[in-house]
């Protein structure tokens, strides 16, 4: 279940796919549990942080479009707004990130943070961008990069193999 | 631009390695059977990964045969035969190679490129008829790729976009279900971006010397030395590469993997990561060398990990 959690995919191209997958899993789960009311609230990703009031109603509309997943329209509209406030840079960052333009997305949100350092939303988004690599881990749970005791054994084993290649032997038993 | 996508061999099980080879050989044999013998020269490791990941979400179980070939004339090796995954990867492999040859003919007037592209031309026509939309889409993205070079674009995101888009088009096998296709398209997009930036970062030295276009040099300035450009761009390059990796990893988790998960996880979470580390740490020294060749003397004190990797690579190859 954890791997499909839509929060993990928030703001990326696969957000809706992840939601759909979770829906499937939830439905399968309620079937198994003999509970056929699959209309049970499965997971609602009402990300309220996107929905607070701003004075610029245009930017608010852009926000609504992003929330609805209509990134294309949101971008088109945003580009027509000439006053570039912190909010503008922030929303542009969100849109760019979803497109896969990670570098420019980050610098836009960084600009928003610089212009309005007190805004918690901008700051947390910047943190989310900067920490996205923490998500990179094999589903089987294997750590990607660790130094541990196994390495020592591997080292000995490899050394032994190399010695044997050259005609010697480091460890007799293997 | 080829050869970055490979497993981390020392961490593979031997049967996983055999499985990986069977896809590589499968693509090669598919080239021979469906097209012609010359096209078999074009087989790449990236095509093996393409075959592997598409086959792993298909319903039809791929069937292995033990077969000999020119490279292994005495000992038969397992080969995947007559499977949509390997056939598709073979077609894409030829197409990309063809466009690459045409490009180097246009750029350097290399006669070798021209003659090779003429040799695989009839094959390309066949593939063009089978996948007309894909063909025109690849052509379009390659056109914008050369436009990026001509205009000297200095944004990494903008510069990598055409190749990323191209990969998102060719990555999913067109007959897969909608959901898997979308996931693979996103995986392809991020893989394309990753390959493009990996390539740009490791080519800084060469591109400075030959005065050719490189997105990273364009952004950080041609007046600097390769070393300065590397250290100045390091943060941005590392950030983008790592986000790409995490998006590739997340897409992988969403896929309905039916087989070969151990091997795929190795490539997605270890192979790509290892490559990234190598390019980030060694800069231009490693030029997409397959199987770590050419870096044998690099066992420094305190870099035991690296030495072990290399020893493992040698044992397995």
């Amino acid at each position: 279940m954890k791997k499909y959690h839509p929060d993990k995919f928030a703001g990326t191209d696969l957000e809706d796919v992840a939601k759909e997958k979770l829906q499937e899993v939830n439905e399968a789960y309620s079937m198994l549990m003999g509970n056929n009311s699959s209309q049970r609230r499965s997971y609602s990703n009402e990300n309220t942080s996107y929905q607070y009031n701003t004075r610029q109603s245009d930017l608010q509309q852009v926000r609504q479009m992003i929330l609805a997943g209509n990134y294309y329209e949101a971008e088109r509209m945003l580009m027509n707004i000439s006053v570039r406030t912190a909010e503008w840079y922030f929303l542009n960052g969100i849109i760019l990130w979803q497109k896969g333009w990670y570098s420019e997305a980050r610098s836009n949100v960084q600009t928003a943070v610089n212009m309005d350092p007190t805004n918690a939303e901008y700051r947390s988004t910047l943190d989310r961008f900067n920490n996205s690599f923490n998500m990179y881990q094999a589903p089987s749970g294997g750590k990607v990069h660790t130094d541990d005791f196994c390495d020592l054994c591997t080292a000995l084993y490899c050394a032994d193999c190399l010695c044997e290649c050259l005609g010697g032997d480091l460890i007799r038993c293997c | 631009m080829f050869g970055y996508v490979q497993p981390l061999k020392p961490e593979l099980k031997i049967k996983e390695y055999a499985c990986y080879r069977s896809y590589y050989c499968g693509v090669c044999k598919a080239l021979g059977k469906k097209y012609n013998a010359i096209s078999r020269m074009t087989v790449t490791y990236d095509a093996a990964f393409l075959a592997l990941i598409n086959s792993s979400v298909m319903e039809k179980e791929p069937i292995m045969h033990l077969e000999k070939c020119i490279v292994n004339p005495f000992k038969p090796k397992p080969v995947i035969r007559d499977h949509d995954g390997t056939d598709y990867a073979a077609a894409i492999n030829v197409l990309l190679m063809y466009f690459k040859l045409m490009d180097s003919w246009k750029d350097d007037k290399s006669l070798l490129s021209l003659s090779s592209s003429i040799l695989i031309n009839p094959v390309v026509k066949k593939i063009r008829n089978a996948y007309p939309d894909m063909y025109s889409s690849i052509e379009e993205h390659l056109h914008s790729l050369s436009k990026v070079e001509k205009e000297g674009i200095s944004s990494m995101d903008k510069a990598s976009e055409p190749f990323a888009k191209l990969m998102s088009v060719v990555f999913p096998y067109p007959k897969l279900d909608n959901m898997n296709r979308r996931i693979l398209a996103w995986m392809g997009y991020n893989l394309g971006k990753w390959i493009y930036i990996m390539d740009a970062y490791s080519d800084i030295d060469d591109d400075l010397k030959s005065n050719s276009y490189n997105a990273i040099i364009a952004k950080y300035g041609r007046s600097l030395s390769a070393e300065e450009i590397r250290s100045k761009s390091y943060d941005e390059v590392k950030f983008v590469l790592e986000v790409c990796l995490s998006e590739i990893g997340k897409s992988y988790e969403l896929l309905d993997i039916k087989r070969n998960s151990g091997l795929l996880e190795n490539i997605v979470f270890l192979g790509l990561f290892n490559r990234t580390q190598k390019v980030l740490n060694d800069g231009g020294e490693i030029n997409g060398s397959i199987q770590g060749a050419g870096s044998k003397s690099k066992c420094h004190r305190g870099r035991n990990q690296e030495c072990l990797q290399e020893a493992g690579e040698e044992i397995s190859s």
Side-chain angles (χ1 to χ4, degrees):
Chain A
M1 280 283 239
K2 197 177 138 209
K3 72 172 183 177
Y4 297 140
H5 200 280
D7 277 357
K8 191 166 161 183
F9 296 87
T12 71
D13 187 58
L14 293 181
E15 190 174 354
D16 54 327
V17 179
K19 270 188 203 164
E20 216 170 301
K21 284 259 178 184
L22 191 83
Q23 188 79 30
E24 277 172 26
V25 176
N26 280 339
E27 273 164 21
Y29 176 75
S30 43
M31 288 280 274
L32 277 174
M33 300 307 285
N35 179 1
N36 284 329
S37 63
S38 56
Q39 282 155 347
R40 228 161 28 113
R41 231 182 97 246
S42 53
Y43 178 83
S44 84
N45 189 32
E46 291 306 322
N47 206 338
T48 45
S49 66
Y50 281 147
Q51 296 175 323
Y52 69 87
N53 286 327
T54 47
R55 251 173 264 154
Q56 296 99 338
S57 62
D58 280 350
L59 286 178
Q60 209 170 5
Q61 252 180 302
V62 173
R63 253 178 202 274
Q64 292 300 331
M65 281 174 189
I66 292 175
L67 266 176
N70 191 353
Y71 286 88
Y72 182 78
E73 268 302 302
E75 184 179 17
R76 211 182 52 83
M77 222 183 137
L78 194 68
M79 289 307 136
N80 285 331
I81 301 173
S82 50
V83 188
R84 311 240 148 144
T85 55
E87 176 85 355
W88 188 93
Y89 282 104
F90 169 71
L91 292 176
N92 195 28
I94 299 281
I95 293 169
L96 286 165
W97 187 269
Q98 194 270 346
K99 256 171 60 172
W101 290 35
Y102 308 122
S103 180
E104 295 195 6
R106 183 172 69 160
S107 53
N108 268 273
V109 175
Q110 181 71 63
T111 309
V113 170
N114 294 348
M115 287 167 85
D116 184 358
T118 54
N119 188 306
E121 186 188 20
Y122 303 165
R123 216 168 252 283
S124 70
T125 304
L126 188 63
D127 285 345
R128 180 163 65 83
F129 288 178
N130 279 325
N131 296 327
S132 52
F133 192 54
N134 297 346
M135 297 280 192
Y136 183 62
Q137 198 180 25
S140 61
K143 275 270 176 198
V144 179
H145 33 275
T146 47
D147 282 313
D148 57 13
F149 188 68
C150 283
D151 286 350
L152 182 66
C153 302
T154 324
L156 282 169
Y157 174 70
C158 286
D160 182 46
C161 284
L162 288 174
C163 282
E164 277 169 1
C165 287
L166 299 169
D169 198 2
L170 186 69
I171 309 164
R172 286 273 170 80
C173 58
C174 68
Chain B
M1 214 165 256
F2 297 98
Y4 284 114
V5 185
Q6 281 183 49
L8 182 62
K9 279 208 233 145
E11 299 286 345
L12 273 184
K13 286 180 182 164
I14 288 171
K15 68 172 179 183
E16 288 168 346
Y17 182 65
C19 177
Y20 180 64
R21 293 293 309 185
S22 76
Y23 278 90
Y24 182 80
C25 298
V27 175
C28 185
K29 293 254 177 175
L31 285 169
K33 191 180 170 194
K34 297 202 86 161
Y35 309 114
N36 59 27
I38 298 141
S39 65
R40 288 180 70 177
M41 310 276 281
T42 64
V43 64
T44 60
Y45 286 102
D46 307 77
F49 178 65
L50 185 63
L52 181 66
I53 196 140
N54 275 297
S55 307
S56 303
V57 293
M58 286 178 188
E59 295 293 338
K60 191 182 154 202
E61 180 90 36
I63 298 175
M64 274 186 204
H65 300 268
L66 282 171
E67 286 179 22
K68 295 172 191 168
C69 77
I70 314 164
V71 188
N72 293 298
F74 306 114
K75 208 175 165 194
K77 302 263 178 188
V79 177
I80 303 284
R81 264 301 173 109
D82 303 317
H83 193 258
D84 289 344
T86 44
D87 288 353
Y88 174 68
I92 294 304
N93 191 59
V94 173
L95 269 193
L96 292 183
M97 192 55 75
Y98 173 73
F99 282 117
K100 200 182 174 192
L101 290 169
M102 290 307 280
D103 189 49
S104 71
W105 158 243
K106 266 187 233 149
D107 287 357
D108 322 322
K109 299 281 167 232
S110 131
L111 282 176
L112 181 70
S113 310
L114 182 67
S115 45
S116 336
S117 68
I118 288 169
L119 285 174
I120 58 170
N121 207 7
V123 178
V124 171
K125 276 202 185 122
K126 241 182 176 176
I127 300 170
R128 186 182 187 164
N129 290 335
Y131 306 100
D133 296 345
M134 192 165 293
Y135 186 93
S136 53
S137 178
I138 294 177
E139 220 172 18
E140 185 197 317
H141 292 310
L142 285 172
H143 179 70
S144 19
L145 191 68
S146 62
K147 231 170 87 186
V148 159
E149 288 176 18
K150 269 188 211 116
E151 288 168 9
I153 297 290
S154 63
S155 147
M156 274 189 225
D157 288 326
K158 237 185 219 159
S160 58
E161 184 73 0
F163 190 70
K165 275 270 161 67
L166 186 155
M167 287 291 282
S168 79
V169 171
V170 302
F171 217 63
Y173 176 57
K175 285 179 196 146
L176 290 177
D177 65 285
N178 225 344
M179 189 95 96
N180 278 323
R181 266 209 329 268
R182 266 206 61 199
I183 300 169
L184 283 173
W186 183 241
M187 189 188 246
Y189 178 91
N190 282 282
L191 197 67
K193 183 167 277 231
W194 179 81
I195 292 174
Y196 188 88
I197 292 170
M198 288 278 280
D199 210 43
Y201 194 72
S202 48
D203 281 352
I204 290 176
D205 288 85
D206 292 347
D207 290 343
L208 264 184
K209 264 180 224 143
S210 61
N211 206 22
S212 9
Y213 170 75
N214 179 316
I216 299 172
I217 301 176
K219 174 155 189 184
Y220 289 87
R222 206 161 261 290
S223 51
L224 302 174
S225 74
E227 201 47 57
E228 283 169 323
I229 293 175
R230 260 200 295 278
S231 71
K232 281 205 166 161
S233 63
Y234 183 84
D235 276 337
E236 188 184 358
V237 170
K238 183 168 182 278
F239 174 71
V240 177
L241 290 178
E242 287 184 347
V243 177
C244 287
L245 287 185
S246 84
E247 289 301 316
I248 293 166
K250 284 195 287 185
S251 328
Y252 172 78
E253 286 176 50
L254 281 181
L255 283 175
D256 262 328
I257 299 290
K258 300 199 167 62
R259 55 193 75 90
N260 306 328
S261 58
L263 173 55
L264 281 166
E265 275 186 28
N266 177 296
I267 299 175
V268 170
F269 294 98
L270 298 174
L272 296 183
F273 177 75
N274 187 259
R275 271 282 150 153
T276 312
Q277 293 296 95
K278 270 192 177 166
V279 165
L280 282 176
N281 296 338
D282 302 329
E285 283 173 46
I286 301 220
N287 258 330
S289 69
I290 294 165
Q291 297 172 357
S295 51
K296 278 186 183 137
S297 61
K298 282 205 350 235
C299 291
H300 301 303
R301 223 176 302 152
R303 297 174 80 173
N304 297 355
Q305 196 72 26
E306 211 170 291
C307 294
L308 282 179
Q309 297 295 15
E310 286 193 21
E313 300 250 344
E314 269 166 38
I315 291 165
S316 62
S317 58

